[in-house]
Amino acid sequence: MTSPAKPATDARDYGNTILLPKTDFPRRAGLAEKEPKILARWEAMDIYRRQRERAKTGTAPREKFVLHFGPPFANGHIHLGHLLSHTLKDFVARSMELAGYDAPLVPGYDCHGLPIEWKIEEKHRTEKKNNTKEADPVGFRRECREYAAHWSGVQTGELQRLGINGDWKNPYSTMYPESEAAIAREIHTFLRNGSLYRGSKPVMWSPVEQTALAEAEVEYKDITSDTVFVKFPLVKGPQALLDAKASVVIWTTTPWTLPANRAIAYGEDLEYFAIKVKNPSVNGSLLSIGEVLLVEQNRDPHLRNEAGIQDAEIIWKGKGADLAGAYATHCLAAKDKGYDLTVPLLPGDFVTTDAGTGFVHIAPGHGEDDYRLGLKYNIEVPHTVGPDGAYFPHVPLFAGAAVYTAEGKKGPANKFVMNALAEVGALVAKSQILHSYPHSWRSKAPVIFRNTPQWFISMEKNDLRKKALAEIEKTAFFPPRGKNRIGAMVESRGDWCISRQRAWGVPIAIFVDKKTGEPLTDDTVLNRTIDIFGQEGSDAWYARPASDFLGDKYNPDDFEQIVDIVDVWFESGSTHAFVMETRPELHWPADLYLEGSDQHRGWFQSSLLEAVGSRGKAPYKAILTHGFILDEKGYKMSKSTGNGMAPVDLMQNYGADILRLWVAGSDYTEDIKFGENILKGHVDVYRRIRNTFCYLLGSFDGFSDDLRVKSAEMSALDRFVLHRLAELDETVRSCIATYDYQRLISEVNHFCARDLSAFYFDICKDALYCEAVTSPKRRAIVSVLDEVFKCLAHWLAPILPFTCEEAWLSYKGLTLDDREISIHLSTLPEVPKAWRDDGLAAQWAQIIAARSVVTGALEPKRADKTIGASLEAAPIVYVADTAMASVLQSIDFADVCITSGITVQTGAAPADAFTLNEVPG
């Protein structure tokens, strides 16, 4: 039976008695439209300059924290790698700034090098211009400079749009005259201390680009290579082997290097067999009955299998040391008199039994180990392959053949060498192998090891290797495994080849005496060169006559002017010298270098070697590395493979703060997956954070400082939330100090979801909506929410700079047109230590556990319509432990559970009572 309706005259409107949330901070973010407006506000405020000025005010200047901004390459739009790397840098600078440091960030660009030169060459090829580089090097360099300047400008806009806060009005660039002068000065430092020398040794060489490459300029890809087992007949050695007419068998994946063979290496402590072929296979074996082959004992089965040997007997056993002083004839001696030479057998500590035969063919012009062994034993280093990757005209049999098939050249060389070996009976077996091989990261073509005159920095002169390893030990690494990685690379690397045969870059600006071959170290000449570079840039090296640098003291005809450019890794490794040492807002060494893990062999290492070699110390105190970006299936992400995603497009769709949240929410120490589905997960996290801000800001309507309640006068529940703020503040500060942004965002998100939304907000909403603005209970709650907002807004400001700025302006009652206030001009709020109350927290852990049982019991009652809202229930809670019962009875547990009443009883619960296994008792 329904009750009769009351007369309309008795109807009362209670709506105006409810304090609903009121804020101008919208739940819908609209980041793509709003973020550019906030950027414009920051630019109008000149916020970076104001940060620097603020750091100087107060009783004492702030302590500096310097992150040296590694220069991105200025040759295209930013990609996801930039997004990850530079956002992390921004996290560091912003969070250190909030933590109370003066944390300037000076961005810059790497503007020289092959990729830019390659683009201009492509343009010239399209326009059918020939030899522009040679005919007008200054004009060619000008085009490169204009190209780099264009993309520097583009990337500046895109990085600013991403929210990267730095000195964008005054960035550095490797192509500024003052930078080029500084780079040349650093080269001269190594010249003066004797570390720089010209040598002829094998380096990684790109036949396509016709230049030497650094390890950091190559990438490794799997290719299929020809492999051969080849005989070298012994002519001197143990008598038993000579009587048996034994041949040493080598195995190589580069048959094209055999014309340059000048020795064979063995392992002194390895055990070797001489096997006599008794029954070669009928299936195409290249061997004859009675042939004797020398092979390491563990590789004997492999050789027999590959060579098709069905049966053989061992006629000699010995150690590698027994082969000391032995010689063999060159494998091609029978084919052409140009190879009528004997090659020594030499001990090599790099010989292993992982593959091959236990003997290594040595071509000193085509491998680092080969070169070192040849140098040790004074072995000739032949020049067989030219800059274009083809054999020189003087190479017997193979003149003009290209190592790899190239337009206009016969090749590949492997085919011609293998045919020649087969003709003279030196070929034991041939096959193919799939292996990882270096390729130029620009042309994507295979590189070769080629002997060529280059300029090197010695790793041993002035103890550079030893000092660099000592500095690595002093450096902090995030993650720690980076120390072992870069340490192993420095320990094993050869001398640093710093010359490149290109046009766009800083020249190795020195002169060499044509008679003595010695470089000129006259300080007057060197200083004059630096002065000219500082005024005009390094183009002057090509535009001015040599006499302008040499002066009247020297005849230009007596000197060779070096026109090779310096390795771009030397350039970027020198940035510490013309950025950190010259900018007054910075200091040397940097507190942190931050880049991808591939920079252990790139920028981290080149910076280390350059600084240690010139100053005796590393240019950094710590190194932070991040992984690479993969797609959602775990594949490497790039535009060329069709799975690349452009940050500029993503910002237009999602906003920069969502992308930044993805960076913070990912474990950057490992490779990171990225894709639309992954990004949507971070959108959900962002929505929760934004809704939290919206709820908090909506609760402040009508609140003022005179209504604030002191913590000592608050309820236990309110004080527990303050405790959580104090607890979380310690965590956030620790995360900032250790660059652990994933933990920071995880803890803050967890706090918003569990402690606030599902707990404190839920309990307090009735008081917020229904209590009077001046009621002590509501005042206390809003006082807590005010502290929560200030903490959250600051904790998240480095990660979500746009959103936190918008929320802060709303909190202050300001709009984007107001240009005095910014959350990024403040520091982390001081959280009173008195808020930390671990005893209170232990009690509330019990209360929260008990509450979960009550809310769990209410759910099925809601579902079966026994009750509607939780306030329609008045449950009985049975507690086994009297101490816990006392805790629950000490508070208004019904308020905490949002029920009309609760009875707490001590003792066993009825058999049909609702329980949760995770909350015993």
Side-chain angles (χ1 to χ4, degrees):
M1 178 178 177
T2 58
S3 301
K6 292 183 178 181
T9 54
D10 292 340
R12 298 178 184 178
D13 181 8
Y14 293 96
N16 58 7
T17 69
I18 299 175
L19 298 173
L20 295 175
K22 183 180 179 182
T23 177
D24 59 359
F25 184 82
R27 288 186 181 274
R28 188 174 182 84
L31 293 177
E33 296 77 27
K34 198 170 297 177
E35 287 172 345
K37 297 176 182 177
I38 297 174
L39 270 177
R41 178 178 185 268
W42 288 338
E43 186 173 357
M45 293 174 65
D46 199 357
I47 194 166
Y48 180 82
R49 178 188 55 80
R50 290 182 60 179
Q51 287 175 332
R52 306 284 68 76
E53 291 175 349
R54 184 198 55 172
K56 299 175 185 176
T57 60
T59 56
R62 291 186 180 190
E63 181 182 350
K64 286 187 183 293
F65 181 93
V66 175
L67 163 66
H68 181 32
F69 193 102
F73 205 77
N75 71 327
H77 293 286
I78 65 169
H79 49 68
L80 289 176
H82 292 110
L83 164 64
L84 174 59
S85 185
H86 298 318
T87 300
L88 282 172
K89 292 170 189 170
D90 194 57
F91 287 172
V92 171
R94 286 184 183 274
S95 60
M96 287 298 178
E97 191 82 19
L98 278 168
Y101 289 89
D102 177 13
L105 191 66
V106 178
Y109 292 100
D110 193 353
C111 294
H112 292 132
L114 185 58
I116 290 173
E117 187 169 341
W118 191 258
K119 285 291 185 182
I120 302 305
E121 287 181 342
E122 283 182 342
K123 173 176 171 285
H124 286 187
R125 283 191 289 269
T126 301
E127 297 171 353
K128 297 184 178 179
K129 295 181 181 178
N130 295 318
N131 299 320
T132 309
K133 234 180 350 183
E134 291 77 8
D136 181 17
V138 175
F140 181 86
R141 288 167 61 87
R142 182 173 57 250
E143 290 189 67
C144 292
R145 192 179 304 278
E146 291 168 353
Y147 181 90
H150 166 74
W151 284 111
S152 296
V154 170
Q155 288 188 9
T156 290
E158 293 172 348
L159 291 172
Q160 286 181 289
R161 175 64 186 87
L162 193 55
I164 311 301
N165 181 44
D167 192 0
W168 293 108
K169 293 183 178 180
N170 190 26
Y172 73 89
S173 169
T174 58
M175 70 178 184
Y176 290 163
E178 60 270 25
S179 302
E180 295 185 331
I183 293 164
R185 185 184 299 114
E186 295 302 302
I187 298 170
H188 292 169
T189 298
F190 286 90
L191 175 66
R192 287 185 173 103
N193 68 27
S195 298
L196 182 67
Y197 71 93
R198 180 189 252 174
S200 182
K201 59 185 291 187
V203 295
M204 279 192 289
W205 183 271
S206 170
V208 175
E209 291 109 344
Q210 295 197 26
T211 186
L213 297 178
E215 177 67 26
E217 294 174 298
V218 303
E219 59 188 9
Y220 286 80
K221 296 193 294 187
D222 287 343
I223 64 169
T224 299
S225 293
D226 294 311
T227 68
V228 289
F229 291 84
V230 180
K231 292 183 293 188
F232 285 72
L234 276 177
V235 293
K236 183 179 179 181
Q239 191 59 48
L241 296 178
L242 296 177
D243 292 342
K245 297 182 179 179
S247 294
V248 174
V249 180
I250 64 91
W251 175 78
T252 181
T253 60
T254 54
W256 63 269
T257 62
L258 284 166
N261 173 272
R262 294 299 181 267
I264 297 171
Y266 59 82
E268 284 189 291
D269 296 326
L270 299 181
E271 300 286 346
Y272 289 90
F273 289 167
I275 62 171
K276 186 174 184 179
V277 179
K278 296 176 66 176
N279 185 14
S281 167
V282 295
N283 297 323
S285 175
L286 301 174
L287 298 171
S288 303
I289 294 174
E291 288 197 64
V292 177
L293 308 176
L294 201 56
V295 62
E296 195 275 331
Q297 65 171 357
N298 293 312
R299 302 306 301 167
D300 177 25
H302 179 71
L303 173 63
R304 296 189 190 205
N305 180 65
E306 291 294 315
I309 302 172
Q310 287 188 328
D311 191 14
E313 64 175 318
I314 300 170
I315 65 169
W316 180 88
K317 294 182 181 180
K319 281 191 171 292
D322 297 330
L323 299 173
Y327 279 81
T329 58
H330 194 283
C331 58
L332 291 168
K335 179 67 177 175
D336 190 280
K337 288 184 178 181
Y339 300 102
D340 190 10
L341 51 90
T342 56
V343 296
L345 273 63
L346 303 172
D349 57 10
F350 51 84
V351 179
T352 70
T353 59
D354 296 336
T357 65
F359 291 103
V360 176
H361 126 70
I362 299 299
H366 297 297
E368 184 66 29
D369 289 332
D370 305 49
Y371 174 78
R372 289 181 181 178
L373 190 69
L375 192 65
K376 181 178 180 180
Y377 289 98
N378 199 29
I379 302 297
E380 171 202 4
V381 182
H383 292 264
T384 53
V385 177
D388 60 354
Y391 290 116
F392 283 119
H394 66 260
V395 177
L397 297 176
F398 312 112
V403 174
Y404 294 103
T405 304
E407 185 178 352
K409 295 184 177 67
K410 61 179 181 179
N414 278 352
K415 178 179 69 174
F416 299 110
V417 173
M418 291 163 67
N419 288 343
L421 291 170
E423 287 180 29
V424 297
L427 190 62
V428 175
K430 62 180 180 178
S431 184
Q432 289 188 322
I433 187 174
L434 180 68
H435 65 149
S436 182
Y437 191 82
H439 289 65
S440 165
W441 71 272
R442 173 52 46 187
S443 68
K444 308 303 180 184
V447 303
I448 61 176
F449 283 88
R450 173 179 174 263
N451 182 47
T452 177
Q454 300 289 343
W455 289 91
F456 297 89
I457 291 175
S458 170
M459 289 296 295
E460 310 307 332
K461 184 76 172 180
N462 300 318
D463 292 325
L464 178 54
R465 187 191 313 278
K466 181 179 178 181
K467 291 176 182 177
L469 291 171
E471 287 299 300
I472 289 171
E473 286 301 314
K474 299 175 186 176
T475 303
F477 285 84
F478 302 88
R481 61 178 178 269
K483 176 175 289 188
N484 291 334
R485 183 172 185 188
I486 191 173
M489 290 176 177
V490 172
E491 179 71 52
S492 62
R493 74 166 294 154
D495 288 350
W496 185 3
C497 176
I498 67 163
S499 52
R500 298 291 182 267
Q501 291 65 51
R502 306 302 295 178
W504 175 229
V506 177
I508 298 177
I510 58 179
F511 292 92
V512 175
D513 190 310
K514 291 180 180 178
K515 292 180 180 178
T516 66
E518 293 297 319
L520 183 64
T521 57
D522 187 318
D523 282 342
T524 301
V525 174
L526 298 180
N527 292 337
R528 184 184 295 121
T529 301
I530 299 306
D531 290 342
I532 293 173
F533 278 24
Q535 293 294 320
E536 304 173 19
S538 62
D539 284 357
W541 193 249
Y542 305 92
R544 282 174 171 254
S547 58
D548 284 3
F549 301 96
L550 288 168
D552 298 333
K553 186 177 178 180
Y554 300 100
N555 182 351
D557 293 338
D558 295 336
F559 291 89
E560 174 192 1
Q561 183 178 0
I562 302 303
V563 294
D564 288 350
I565 65 166
V566 72
D567 173 20
V568 289
W569 292 108
F570 185 95
E571 283 195 16
S572 60
S574 301
T575 54
H576 68 92
F578 58 86
V579 180
M580 293 192 297
E581 286 188 338
T582 62
R583 304 278 291 240
E585 71 272 32
L586 306 178
H587 64 213
W588 195 102
D591 294 286
L592 184 69
Y593 272 36
L594 188 165
E595 291 294 338
S597 57
D598 58 329
Q599 297 308 316
H600 287 117
R601 64 185 177 100
W603 189 55
F604 297 149
Q605 190 174 155
S606 66
S607 299
L608 172 72
L609 297 179
E610 204 290 323
V612 171
S614 60
R615 289 155 179 77
K617 285 186 63 178
Y620 40 67
K621 298 176 185 177
I623 283 177
L624 184 151
T625 53
H626 60 77
F628 295 100
I629 299 179
L630 310 174
D631 67 14
E632 291 178 323
K633 296 180 181 179
Y635 293 107
K636 182 180 178 181
M637 186 172 281
S638 67
K639 286 187 177 180
S640 60
T641 57
N643 63 352
M645 303 174 77
V648 174
D649 296 337
L650 291 167
M651 284 188 282
Q652 188 61 35
N653 293 333
Y654 292 94
D657 270 359
I658 300 296
L659 302 184
R660 294 172 66 97
L661 188 60
W662 164 76
V663 174
S666 304
D667 181 4
Y668 65 78
T669 64
E670 304 288 348
D671 290 345
I672 308 171
K673 291 184 178 180
F674 183 87
E676 291 281 355
N677 292 325
I678 292 171
L679 207 55
K680 287 175 182 176
H682 293 282
V683 170
D684 292 338
V685 175
Y686 176 83
R687 187 177 293 116
R688 179 179 297 115
I689 291 171
R690 189 173 184 90
N691 287 344
T692 301
F693 279 153
C694 194
Y695 186 90
L696 290 167
L697 291 167
S699 303
F700 299 147
D701 186 36
F703 182 73
S704 57
D705 276 341
D706 61 325
L707 296 176
R708 193 177 302 277
V709 175
K710 296 179 180 179
S711 60
E713 301 170 3
M714 293 179 178
S715 70
L717 172 60
D718 296 331
R719 285 186 287 111
F720 168 67
V721 177
L722 294 181
H723 163 83
R724 286 290 294 126
L725 285 180
E727 198 173 43
L728 197 51
D729 182 66
E730 291 181 14
T731 299
V732 168
R733 291 176 186 270
S734 173
C735 290
I736 289 173
T738 57
Y739 318 114
D740 191 351
Y741 307 107
Q742 185 184 36
R743 185 186 177 205
L744 189 157
I745 199 65
S746 175
E747 293 281 356
V748 171
N749 178 47
H750 189 64
F751 176 70
C752 290
R754 187 191 67 177
D755 295 303
L756 296 181
S757 181
F759 181 62
Y760 191 61
F761 290 174
D762 196 30
I763 294 170
C764 296
K765 64 178 183 293
D766 286 347
L768 284 172
Y769 295 168
C770 301
E771 295 272 352
V773 170
T774 56
S775 78
K777 184 175 183 179
R778 190 181 192 280
R779 286 169 53 207
I781 292 170
V782 179
S783 296
V784 171
L785 295 183
D786 183 69
E787 301 294 348
V788 168
F789 174 80
K790 287 186 290 188
C791 285
L792 283 180
H794 284 85
W795 291 342
L796 291 169
I799 294 168
L800 305 174
F802 296 100
T803 300
C804 291
E805 181 80 320
E806 181 190 1
W808 193 249
L809 291 177
S810 177
Y811 175 73
K812 293 291 185 179
L814 302 175
T815 68
L816 290 177
D817 294 329
D818 296 295
R819 292 173 179 171
E820 288 302 315
I821 301 296
S822 171
I823 194 169
H824 304 296
L825 291 173
S826 58
T827 54
L828 293 172
E830 290 297 326
V831 174
K833 293 182 179 179
W835 288 1
R836 182 75 185 248
D837 190 338
D838 293 332
L840 179 67
Q843 290 181 349
W844 276 92
Q846 293 180 307
I847 295 169
I848 292 168
R851 180 180 189 264
S852 68
V853 182
V854 175
T855 55
L858 297 179
E859 285 305 314
K861 295 301 181 182
R862 278 201 187 100
D864 66 12
K865 308 298 184 183
T866 301
I867 61 172
S870 60
L871 283 170
E872 296 179 20
I876 300 172
V877 180
Y878 298 90
V879 184
D881 181 65
T882 55
M884 185 172 183
S886 297
V887 170
L888 299 181
Q889 291 165 346
S890 69
I891 62 168
D892 190 339
F893 194 39
D895 264 8
V896 171
C897 295
I898 318 176
T899 58
S900 59
I902 277 186
T903 302
V904 177
Q905 292 189 9
T906 305
D912 61 345
F914 179 87
T915 61
L916 288 177
N917 292 333
E918 58 267 31
V919 190

